[in-house]
Amino acid sequence: MYLLLVEDDLGLGQALHKLLLRHYRVHWVRSLASARRHFDAAEYDAMLLDLGLPDGDGVDWLRTLRAEGCLMPVLIISARDQLDDRVKGLDTGADDYLVKPFEPDELLARIRVLLRRQSGVAQPRITSGALSFATESRQFYLSDEAVNFSPKEHQILAVLIQAGGKPVSRERLTQQLYGLGDAADSNTLEVHIHALRKVLGKDRIETLRGFGYRLVAR
Ligand code: CA
């Protein structure tokens, strides 16, 4: 198991690195730029991600990774302990959120859960009825024929299929399109859903009134 540890604090980073090395292969980086470089260059099984980094916010990078279809388990480790921060982190696609300071044993236990869960999640292809999504190439297939969508429709559908039939909130889908903080026009999401339904069939994407959407396997 190979972990990417993103933590800029020297003392904490050193302590975590030492702790994790007893159990895993670990690469420790101290900036987002470095994290991106190493992420692109190697295959990691999970990532521990600090949020307040010298060159940006870990949540912004995580959002990009998820929008690109990355399924790697991510545990946020942050001193931000407000409910809003935790909800935002989890909504952005973190698998878990641990508030600093934490006990080493708790961190190790949470990592074990992440890695266990991952063995069931990291499939090369996710299938929903006749539709499938190759997670590495990010190609969609309909009845085993490659099918292409516009970039935004692709992102929406990638999120829906990775939710494995679970409802996905309108906020989360809108965030995938525009990022938090931008004025998002919810009608635009409707337009993309409409376009997707034209290709997939009307009843494949269910509207959950007041919440969001769900991909239905038919
Ligand atoms: Ca930090």
Side-chain angles (χ1 to χ4, degrees):
M1 291 292 172
Y2 194 14
L3 307 184
L4 182 60
L5 168 64
V6 187
E7 170 59 67
D8 64 310
D9 184 276
L10 184 61
L12 180 61
Q14 276 173 342
L16 288 176
H17 191 216
K18 199 171 150 200
L19 170 76
L20 295 169
L21 275 176
R22 285 191 223 139
H23 305 270
Y24 306 102
R25 258 179 91 204
V26 184
H27 190 83
W28 171 32
V29 295
R30 298 182 62 197
S31 70
L32 278 182
S34 181
R36 281 197 197 97
R37 256 199 324 277
H38 286 276
F39 177 82
D40 288 340
E43 284 287 319
Y44 295 94
D45 296 292
M47 171 159 68
L48 279 66
L49 181 63
D50 182 26
L51 296 184
L53 293 159
D55 53 350
D57 193 321
V59 153
D60 294 330
W61 184 43
L62 177 59
R63 182 176 304 115
T64 307
L65 288 177
R66 292 310 191 216
E68 288 168 353
C70 165
L71 291 171
M72 183 178 62
V74 173
L75 169 61
I76 290 178
I77 46 172
S78 175
R80 298 180 198 164
D81 61 352
Q82 298 298 306
L83 179 63
D84 278 357
D85 296 316
R86 282 178 293 168
V87 168
K88 180 176 163 188
L90 293 168
D91 272 353
T92 302
D95 298 88
D96 201 357
Y97 194 111
L98 193 54
V99 175
K100 299 169 185 171
F102 45 76
E103 292 296 321
D105 283 347
E106 179 167 14
L107 177 70
L108 293 172
R110 302 248 196 144
I111 293 172
R112 285 194 297 274
V113 170
L114 276 195
L115 294 172
R116 255 202 319 269
R117 212 183 285 158
Q118 182 220 20
S119 49
V121 171
Q123 309 153 3
R125 250 199 213 204
I126 305 174
T127 300
S128 167
L131 180 72
S132 65
F133 180 55
T135 55
E136 289 186 2
S137 63
R138 307 203 69 240
Q139 176 68 55
F140 280 102
Y141 296 87
L142 204 47
S143 303
D144 280 328
E145 293 224 9
V147 55
N148 296 310
F149 300 97
S150 79
K152 287 186 173 175
E153 279 141 32
H154 185 102
Q155 282 186 22
I156 292 172
L157 192 56
V159 173
L160 287 172
I161 198 166
Q162 285 169 54
K166 291 199 204 82
V168 180
S169 71
R170 165 180 288 281
E171 286 70 29
R172 175 144 178 239
L173 291 171
T174 308
Q175 279 169 28
Q176 297 292 327
L177 297 180
Y178 304 100
L180 278 179
D182 290 347
D185 178 358
S186 62
N187 289 328
T188 313
L189 178 59
E190 308 266 89
V191 170
H192 292 306
I193 295 281
H194 181 74
L196 286 168
R197 280 177 173 151
K198 270 190 152 166
V199 178
L200 301 174
K202 205 164 170 246
D203 54 358
R204 289 296 315 272
I205 301 176
E206 187 184 3
T207 303
L208 301 155
R209 204 170 276 278
F211 182 76
Y213 297 95
R214 189 169 81 92
L215 186 65
V216 185
R218 289 188 204 277

